PDB file of all heavy atoms in Angstrom:
ATOM      1  N   ILE A   8      73.114 129.567 121.555  1.00 97.00           N
ATOM      2  CA  ILE A   8      73.423 130.679 120.790  1.00 97.00           C
ATOM      3  C   ILE A   8      72.321 131.787 120.907  1.00 97.00           C
ATOM      4  O   ILE A   8      72.581 133.023 121.112  1.00 97.00           O
ATOM      5  CB  ILE A   8      73.616 130.371 119.284  1.00 97.00           C
ATOM      6  CG1 ILE A   8      74.830 129.525 119.170  1.00 97.00           C
ATOM      7  CG2 ILE A   8      73.562 131.557 118.378  1.00 97.00           C
ATOM      8  CD1 ILE A   8      75.029 128.880 117.784  1.00 97.00           C
ATOM      9  N   PHE A   9      71.072 131.404 120.850  1.00 97.00           N
ATOM     10  CA  PHE A   9      69.992 132.247 121.161  1.00 97.00           C
ATOM     11  C   PHE A   9      70.077 133.037 122.416  1.00 97.00           C
ATOM     12  O   PHE A   9      69.856 134.237 122.490  1.00 97.00           O
ATOM     13  CB  PHE A   9      68.641 131.476 121.061  1.00 97.00           C
ATOM     14  CG  PHE A   9      67.482 132.103 121.686  1.00 97.00           C
ATOM     15  CD1 PHE A   9      66.786 133.192 120.956  1.00 97.00           C
ATOM     16  CD2 PHE A   9      67.069 131.815 122.900  1.00 97.00           C
ATOM     17  CE1 PHE A   9      65.718 133.793 121.559  1.00 97.00           C
ATOM     18  CE2 PHE A   9      65.931 132.420 123.569  1.00 97.00           C
ATOM     19  CZ  PHE A   9      65.274 133.416 122.805  1.00 97.00           C
ATOM     20  N   LEU A  10      70.500 132.305 123.497  1.00 97.00           N
ATOM     21  CA  LEU A  10      70.584 132.935 124.824  1.00 97.00           C
ATOM     22  C   LEU A  10      71.769 133.936 124.837  1.00 97.00           C
ATOM     23  O   LEU A  10      71.692 134.911 125.636  1.00 97.00           O
ATOM     24  CB  LEU A  10      70.835 131.814 125.866  1.00 97.00           C
ATOM     25  CG  LEU A  10      69.585 131.013 126.171  1.00 97.00           C
ATOM     26  CD1 LEU A  10      70.014 129.842 127.149  1.00 97.00           C
ATOM     27  CD2 LEU A  10      68.413 131.752 126.657  1.00 97.00           C
ATOM     28  N   GLU A  11      72.783 133.806 124.005  1.00 97.00           N
ATOM     29  CA  GLU A  11      73.843 134.754 123.944  1.00 97.00           C
ATOM     30  C   GLU A  11      73.398 136.057 123.252  1.00 97.00           C
ATOM     31  O   GLU A  11      73.986 137.020 123.456  1.00 97.00           O
ATOM     32  CB  GLU A  11      74.994 134.213 123.048  1.00 97.00           C
ATOM     33  CG  GLU A  11      75.722 133.029 123.617  1.00 97.00           C
ATOM     34  CD  GLU A  11      76.733 132.535 122.705  1.00 97.00           C
ATOM     35  OE1 GLU A  11      77.172 133.190 121.786  1.00 97.00           O
ATOM     36  OE2 GLU A  11      77.253 131.346 122.918  1.00 97.00           O
ATOM     37  N   CYS A  12      72.373 136.031 122.480  1.00 97.00           N
ATOM     38  CA  CYS A  12      71.980 137.174 121.703  1.00 97.00           C
ATOM     39  C   CYS A  12      70.995 138.114 122.500  1.00 97.00           C
ATOM     40  O   CYS A  12      70.290 137.627 123.354  1.00 97.00           O
ATOM     41  CB  CYS A  12      71.263 136.743 120.408  1.00 97.00           C
ATOM     42  SG  CYS A  12      72.437 135.806 119.307  1.00 97.00           S
ATOM     43  N   THR A  13      71.022 139.308 122.055  1.00 96.00           N
ATOM     44  CA  THR A  13      70.139 140.286 122.758  1.00 96.00           C
ATOM     45  C   THR A  13      68.706 140.290 122.257  1.00 96.00           C
ATOM     46  O   THR A  13      67.874 140.690 122.977  1.00 96.00           O
ATOM     47  CB  THR A  13      70.680 141.742 122.537  1.00 96.00           C
ATOM     48  OG1 THR A  13      70.725 141.936 121.079  1.00 96.00           O
ATOM     49  CG2 THR A  13      72.133 141.873 123.085  1.00 96.00           C
ATOM     50  N   SER A  14      68.457 139.825 121.071  1.00 95.00           N
ATOM     51  CA  SER A  14      67.113 139.811 120.483  1.00 95.00           C
ATOM     52  C   SER A  14      67.125 138.925 119.271  1.00 95.00           C
ATOM     53  O   SER A  14      68.154 138.517 118.748  1.00 95.00           O
ATOM     54  CB  SER A  14      66.560 141.266 120.164  1.00 95.00           C
ATOM     55  OG  SER A  14      67.410 141.828 119.197  1.00 95.00           O
ATOM     56  N   VAL A  15      65.936 138.763 118.698  1.00 96.00           N
ATOM     57  CA  VAL A  15      65.732 137.995 117.461  1.00 96.00           C
ATOM     58  C   VAL A  15      65.090 138.942 116.461  1.00 96.00           C
ATOM     59  O   VAL A  15      64.204 139.665 116.801  1.00 96.00           O
ATOM     60  CB  VAL A  15      64.912 136.719 117.585  1.00 96.00           C
ATOM     61  CG1 VAL A  15      64.651 136.043 116.280  1.00 96.00           C
ATOM     62  CG2 VAL A  15      65.582 135.793 118.593  1.00 96.00           C
ATOM     63  N   THR A  16      65.584 138.844 115.196  1.00 96.00           N
ATOM     64  CA  THR A  16      64.976 139.754 114.096  1.00 96.00           C
ATOM     65  C   THR A  16      64.878 138.941 112.864  1.00 96.00           C
ATOM     66  O   THR A  16      65.672 138.114 112.569  1.00 96.00           O
ATOM     67  CB  THR A  16      65.787 141.016 113.902  1.00 96.00           C
ATOM     68  OG1 THR A  16      65.171 141.861 112.956  1.00 96.00           O
ATOM     69  CG2 THR A  16      67.250 140.711 113.517  1.00 96.00           C
ATOM     70  N   THR A  17      63.919 139.279 112.042  1.00 95.00           N
ATOM     71  CA  THR A  17      63.779 138.714 110.694  1.00 95.00           C
ATOM     72  C   THR A  17      63.782 139.805 109.662  1.00 95.00           C
ATOM     73  O   THR A  17      63.585 139.566 108.471  1.00 95.00           O
ATOM     74  CB  THR A  17      62.319 137.913 110.603  1.00 95.00           C
ATOM     75  OG1 THR A  17      61.304 138.900 110.813  1.00 95.00           O
ATOM     76  CG2 THR A  17      62.350 136.757 111.553  1.00 95.00           C
ATOM     77  N   ASP A  18      64.053 141.004 110.149  1.00 94.00           N
ATOM     78  CA  ASP A  18      64.176 142.154 109.273  1.00 94.00           C
ATOM     79  C   ASP A  18      65.549 142.721 109.235  1.00 94.00           C
ATOM     80  O   ASP A  18      66.092 143.296 110.155  1.00 94.00           O
ATOM     81  CB  ASP A  18      63.165 143.267 109.745  1.00 94.00           C
ATOM     82  CG  ASP A  18      63.146 144.436 108.808  1.00 94.00           C
ATOM     83  OD1 ASP A  18      63.925 144.589 107.926  1.00 94.00           O
ATOM     84  OD2 ASP A  18      62.154 145.224 109.044  1.00 94.00           O
ATOM     85  N   SER A  19      66.215 142.532 108.045  1.00 93.00           N
ATOM     86  CA  SER A  19      67.708 143.005 107.928  1.00 93.00           C
ATOM     87  C   SER A  19      67.766 144.514 108.069  1.00 93.00           C
ATOM     88  O   SER A  19      68.902 145.021 108.280  1.00 93.00           O
ATOM     89  CB  SER A  19      68.209 142.500 106.627  1.00 93.00           C
ATOM     90  OG  SER A  19      67.588 143.096 105.556  1.00 93.00           O
ATOM     91  N   ARG A  20      66.642 145.278 108.011  1.00 93.00           N
ATOM     92  CA  ARG A  20      66.649 146.698 108.165  1.00 93.00           C
ATOM     93  C   ARG A  20      66.768 147.139 109.587  1.00 93.00           C
ATOM     94  O   ARG A  20      66.915 148.269 109.954  1.00 93.00           O
ATOM     95  CB  ARG A  20      65.613 147.374 107.360  1.00 93.00           C
ATOM     96  CG  ARG A  20      65.606 147.141 105.906  1.00 93.00           C
ATOM     97  CD  ARG A  20      64.275 147.481 105.314  1.00 93.00           C
ATOM     98  NE  ARG A  20      63.256 146.571 105.828  1.00 93.00           N
ATOM     99  CZ  ARG A  20      61.922 146.657 105.508  1.00 93.00           C
ATOM    100  NH1 ARG A  20      61.535 147.537 104.668  1.00 93.00           N
ATOM    101  NH2 ARG A  20      61.088 145.802 105.978  1.00 93.00           N
ATOM    102  N   ASN A  21      66.447 146.159 110.498  1.00 93.00           N
ATOM    103  CA  ASN A  21      66.385 146.399 111.894  1.00 93.00           C
ATOM    104  C   ASN A  21      67.103 145.234 112.647  1.00 93.00           C
ATOM    105  O   ASN A  21      66.526 144.257 113.047  1.00 93.00           O
ATOM    106  CB  ASN A  21      64.976 146.467 112.402  1.00 93.00           C
ATOM    107  CG  ASN A  21      64.857 146.743 113.894  1.00 93.00           C
ATOM    108  OD1 ASN A  21      65.800 147.292 114.468  1.00 93.00           O
ATOM    109  ND2 ASN A  21      63.764 146.403 114.441  1.00 93.00           N
ATOM    110  N   CYS A  22      68.424 145.484 112.728  1.00 96.00           N
ATOM    111  CA  CYS A  22      69.294 144.431 113.341  1.00 96.00           C
ATOM    112  C   CYS A  22      70.056 145.010 114.575  1.00 96.00           C
ATOM    113  O   CYS A  22      71.127 145.522 114.444  1.00 96.00           O
ATOM    114  CB  CYS A  22      70.268 143.814 112.381  1.00 96.00           C
ATOM    115  SG  CYS A  22      69.439 142.982 111.067  1.00 96.00           S
ATOM    116  N   PRO A  23      69.362 145.034 115.753  1.00 96.00           N
ATOM    117  CA  PRO A  23      70.146 145.524 116.971  1.00 96.00           C
ATOM    118  C   PRO A  23      71.432 144.802 117.193  1.00 96.00           C
ATOM    119  O   PRO A  23      71.570 143.688 116.846  1.00 96.00           O
ATOM    120  CB  PRO A  23      69.117 145.299 118.071  1.00 96.00           C
ATOM    121  CG  PRO A  23      67.746 145.115 117.374  1.00 96.00           C
ATOM    122  CD  PRO A  23      68.109 144.535 116.074  1.00 96.00           C
ATOM    123  N   GLU A  24      72.345 145.547 117.768  1.00 97.00           N
ATOM    124  CA  GLU A  24      73.626 145.018 118.136  1.00 97.00           C
ATOM    125  C   GLU A  24      73.451 143.742 118.972  1.00 97.00           C
ATOM    126  O   GLU A  24      72.737 143.720 119.947  1.00 97.00           O
ATOM    127  CB  GLU A  24      74.432 146.032 118.915  1.00 97.00           C
ATOM    128  CG  GLU A  24      75.880 145.689 119.058  1.00 97.00           C
ATOM    129  CD  GLU A  24      76.591 145.820 117.663  1.00 97.00           C
ATOM    130  OE1 GLU A  24      76.262 146.693 116.844  1.00 97.00           O
ATOM    131  OE2 GLU A  24      77.504 145.019 117.440  1.00 97.00           O
ATOM    132  N   GLY A  25      74.137 142.672 118.545  1.00 97.00           N
ATOM    133  CA  GLY A  25      74.087 141.399 119.271  1.00 97.00           C
ATOM    134  C   GLY A  25      72.815 140.510 119.029  1.00 97.00           C
ATOM    135  O   GLY A  25      72.585 139.486 119.711  1.00 97.00           O
ATOM    136  N   SER A  26      72.035 140.862 117.924  1.00 98.00           N
ATOM    137  CA  SER A  26      70.835 140.134 117.716  1.00 98.00           C
ATOM    138  C   SER A  26      71.065 138.852 116.906  1.00 98.00           C
ATOM    139  O   SER A  26      72.210 138.620 116.447  1.00 98.00           O
ATOM    140  CB  SER A  26      69.817 141.035 116.894  1.00 98.00           C
ATOM    141  OG  SER A  26      70.427 141.401 115.628  1.00 98.00           O
ATOM    142  N   LEU A  27      70.094 138.014 116.783  1.00 98.00           N
ATOM    143  CA  LEU A  27      70.069 136.829 116.002  1.00 98.00           C
ATOM    144  C   LEU A  27      69.152 137.043 114.852  1.00 98.00           C
ATOM    145  O   LEU A  27      67.975 137.237 115.028  1.00 98.00           O
ATOM    146  CB  LEU A  27      69.574 135.623 116.787  1.00 98.00           C
ATOM    147  CG  LEU A  27      69.421 134.301 116.098  1.00 98.00           C
ATOM    148  CD1 LEU A  27      70.690 133.736 115.501  1.00 98.00           C
ATOM    149  CD2 LEU A  27      68.819 133.246 117.063  1.00 98.00           C
ATOM    150  N   PHE A  28      69.670 137.021 113.553  1.00 98.00           N
ATOM    151  CA  PHE A  28      68.892 137.223 112.379  1.00 98.00           C
ATOM    152  C   PHE A  28      68.473 135.901 111.832  1.00 98.00           C
ATOM    153  O   PHE A  28      69.320 134.916 111.704  1.00 98.00           O
ATOM    154  CB  PHE A  28      69.697 137.967 111.318  1.00 98.00           C
ATOM    155  CG  PHE A  28      68.982 138.082 109.968  1.00 98.00           C
ATOM    156  CD1 PHE A  28      67.966 139.068 109.843  1.00 98.00           C
ATOM    157  CD2 PHE A  28      69.351 137.339 108.922  1.00 98.00           C
ATOM    158  CE1 PHE A  28      67.283 139.146 108.616  1.00 98.00           C
ATOM    159  CE2 PHE A  28      68.779 137.500 107.713  1.00 98.00           C
ATOM    160  CZ  PHE A  28      67.699 138.363 107.559  1.00 98.00           C
ATOM    161  N   ILE A  29      67.203 135.799 111.555  1.00 97.00           N
ATOM    162  CA  ILE A  29      66.609 134.549 110.922  1.00 97.00           C
ATOM    163  C   ILE A  29      66.098 134.919 109.561  1.00 97.00           C
ATOM    164  O   ILE A  29      65.177 135.797 109.398  1.00 97.00           O
ATOM    165  CB  ILE A  29      65.482 133.932 111.784  1.00 97.00           C
ATOM    166  CG1 ILE A  29      66.131 133.608 113.180  1.00 97.00           C
ATOM    167  CG2 ILE A  29      64.976 132.686 111.041  1.00 97.00           C
ATOM    168  CD1 ILE A  29      65.143 133.073 114.129  1.00 97.00           C
ATOM    169  N   ALA A  30      66.682 134.342 108.567  1.00 97.00           N
ATOM    170  CA  ALA A  30      66.432 134.626 107.161  1.00 97.00           C
ATOM    171  C   ALA A  30      65.123 133.904 106.575  1.00 97.00           C
ATOM    172  O   ALA A  30      65.233 132.813 105.995  1.00 97.00           O
ATOM    173  CB  ALA A  30      67.626 134.284 106.295  1.00 97.00           C
ATOM    174  N   LEU A  31      64.026 134.551 106.852  1.00 96.00           N
ATOM    175  CA  LEU A  31      62.713 133.932 106.336  1.00 96.00           C
ATOM    176  C   LEU A  31      62.513 134.333 104.838  1.00 96.00           C
ATOM    177  O   LEU A  31      63.043 135.317 104.389  1.00 96.00           O
ATOM    178  CB  LEU A  31      61.575 134.527 107.196  1.00 96.00           C
ATOM    179  CG  LEU A  31      61.619 134.104 108.675  1.00 96.00           C
ATOM    180  CD1 LEU A  31      60.446 134.698 109.363  1.00 96.00           C
ATOM    181  CD2 LEU A  31      61.650 132.602 108.864  1.00 96.00           C
ATOM    182  N   LYS A  32      61.784 133.450 104.205  1.00 94.00           N
ATOM    183  CA  LYS A  32      61.378 133.697 102.802  1.00 94.00           C
ATOM    184  C   LYS A  32      59.907 133.911 102.729  1.00 94.00           C
ATOM    185  O   LYS A  32      59.135 133.292 103.409  1.00 94.00           O
ATOM    186  CB  LYS A  32      61.739 132.425 101.978  1.00 94.00           C
ATOM    187  CG  LYS A  32      63.244 132.257 101.870  1.00 94.00           C
ATOM    188  CD  LYS A  32      63.645 131.183 100.810  1.00 94.00           C
ATOM    189  CE  LYS A  32      63.341 129.798 101.325  1.00 94.00           C
ATOM    190  NZ  LYS A  32      63.856 128.736 100.493  1.00 94.00           N
TER     191      LYS A  32
END
């Protein structure tokens, strides 16, 4: 799944198209 995505983000204010969001606490 990671390889399908364009990038990884942990900031919901910056979610590029096709990214993988990781919900950190």
Side-chain angles (χ1 to χ4, degrees):
I8 291 170
F9 162 78
L10 291 175
E11 292 174 19
C12 295
T13 57
S14 62
V15 174
T16 183
T17 59
D18 185 347
S19 63
R20 298 167 297 179
N21 180 21
C22 295
E24 196 67 36
S26 62
L27 173 63
F28 175 73
I29 302 177
L31 297 179
K32 290 189 285 189

